Amino acid sequence: MISPRKTYIIANWKMNFTPGESSLYLNRLSKRITPSRNVQVILAPSIVSLQPLSLQINRRQFKLAAQNFYWRDYGAFTGETSVSQLRGFVDYAIIGHSERRYIFNESEEDIAQKVAAALRNGLTPILCIGETAMERSDGETAASIYSQLANGLHEVSKEDISKIIIAYEPVWAISSNKDARPAKPADIEEAQALIRKHISKLYGKTASEEISILYGGSVNSDTAGGYLSIRGIDGLLVGSASLIADPFCAIVETAKGIKNER
Ligand code: PEP
């Protein structure tokens, strides 16, 4: 029997907060968010805050994720941080975020190598995929989802697919984009079904039923409940609404409420 999938609420703080500010903010969150067996809250601060927060954090309450890293384990790569250097600080790694793909020109090959490096070092990759506005208007949503998934998982074996989380983040729905608009539940349900279909083709039916799929894109405390109720959606990747305690804590509470009802 397939065991019920956990709910994940991931806070992507992006390039915000100094280490001191991150620490104060974590302190505020930890007073308001109680540990839960069903809802895993994951914080992704910027890289300079990972080490101090890893000492401060109660790991029953929160886990940490890296927003980025370089896929080689060590060597002459000035300015980069390897996932092996992050081991011990983080349990998860966000990979293939659209800001990395489109601002920093990260290639599909880089992304596949990062997924492999995270797995090699015992971290759970959170692989972000999603079509651009132009791909959607050209009717290429399904093709884009398929190619990002197939390329990103290129190095992942059948044994390791259960260790991956997929975040469906249509680029046009991410709040930092000009003209961002929230995705419709029907579009998200269709996308998660496509993702499960591809996973089934690549790794088999059980893998497709077990894999966790999150949604990300302009989620706030008013819309979180609706998104979390979409069939096949196992959590949220939250950007701007994760930077303020009130909306973020409300999103976590909503997730706990929905999980307890199921
Ligand atoms: C993101 O960048 O992953 C994201 C979901 O951002 P926002 O919630 O601000 O749209």
Side-chain angles (χ1 to χ4, degrees):
M1 202 183 86
I2 309 281
S3 44
R5 298 186 302 261
K6 211 180 224 192
T7 298
Y8 295 91
I9 303 294
I10 304 179
N12 180 7
W13 294 352
K14 307 194 183 186
M15 202 174 69
N16 294 291
F17 302 147
T18 63
E21 288 164 347
S22 299
S23 168
L24 288 174
Y25 187 44
L26 171 61
N27 201 25
R28 289 186 69 195
L29 295 181
S30 54
K31 288 188 181 130
R32 295 179 55 177
I33 295 177
T34 50
S36 157
R37 248 186 302 133
N38 298 328
V39 178
Q40 179 65 67
V41 181
I42 302 171
L43 307 178
S46 73
I47 206 151
V48 287
S49 299
L50 283 174
Q51 193 266 352
L53 290 203
S54 76
L55 299 175
Q56 182 183 341
I57 213 156
N58 170 354
R59 289 184 188 216
R60 284 184 51 245
Q61 201 172 16
F62 303 107
K63 302 280 192 216
L64 291 177
Q67 293 176 18
N68 184 37
F69 59 86
Y70 186 51
W71 56 269
R72 299 229 189 236
D73 285 338
Y74 59 88
F77 302 104
T78 301
E80 294 295 330
T81 305
S82 73
V83 70
S84 60
Q85 291 173 310
L86 296 171
R87 270 174 84 157
F89 304 152
V90 300
D91 292 296
Y92 295 83
I94 297 174
I95 300 172
H97 190 280
S98 58
E99 285 153 15
R100 303 254 12 125
R101 290 178 191 263
Y102 301 112
I103 301 175
F104 298 100
N105 298 319
E106 226 166 69
S107 69
E108 293 288 6
E109 182 56 20
D110 289 328
I111 292 164
Q113 290 299 338
K114 286 182 178 196
V115 170
L119 289 171
R120 184 167 73 238
N121 285 282
L123 305 193
T124 300
I126 302 158
L127 174 63
C128 301
I129 60 171
E131 78 285 1
T132 62
M134 195 182 285
E135 286 167 337
R136 176 158 281 265
S137 63
D138 290 349
E140 288 169 5
T141 298
S144 167
I145 287 177
Y146 180 72
S147 79
Q148 288 180 37
L149 205 55
N151 287 322
L153 298 176
H154 191 245
E155 303 280 330
V156 178
S157 66
K158 212 164 178 175
E159 290 69 56
D160 280 345
I161 189 65
S162 61
K163 300 175 187 158
I164 308 265
I165 295 173
I166 305 289
Y168 171 61
E169 297 209 300
V171 181
W172 46 270
I174 293 187
S175 70
S176 55
N177 287 308
K178 201 164 105 351
D179 307 325
R181 61 200 153 84
K184 294 196 188 85
D187 293 335
I188 300 168
E189 187 169 341
E190 200 181 320
Q192 73 73 33
L194 267 174
I195 293 168
R196 289 192 198 280
K197 192 170 129 200
H198 294 321
I199 296 288
S200 178
K201 248 194 251 158
L202 295 166
Y203 295 97
K205 190 162 177 288
T206 305
S208 77
E209 289 168 354
E210 283 179 346
I211 199 158
S212 294
I213 302 178
L214 319 183
Y215 167 70
S218 298
V219 174
N220 59 40
S221 49
D222 295 331
T223 58
Y227 288 132
L228 286 165
S229 305
I230 297 171
R231 193 148 49 102
I233 288 297
D234 305 306
L236 302 169
L237 180 42
V238 187
S240 55
S242 75
L243 297 174
I244 304 168
D246 281 348
F248 187 66
C249 294
I251 291 170
V252 173
E253 281 312 308
T254 301
K256 286 183 184 168
I258 289 178
K259 194 75 194 182
N260 290 338
E261 278 167 20
R262 282 183 182 160

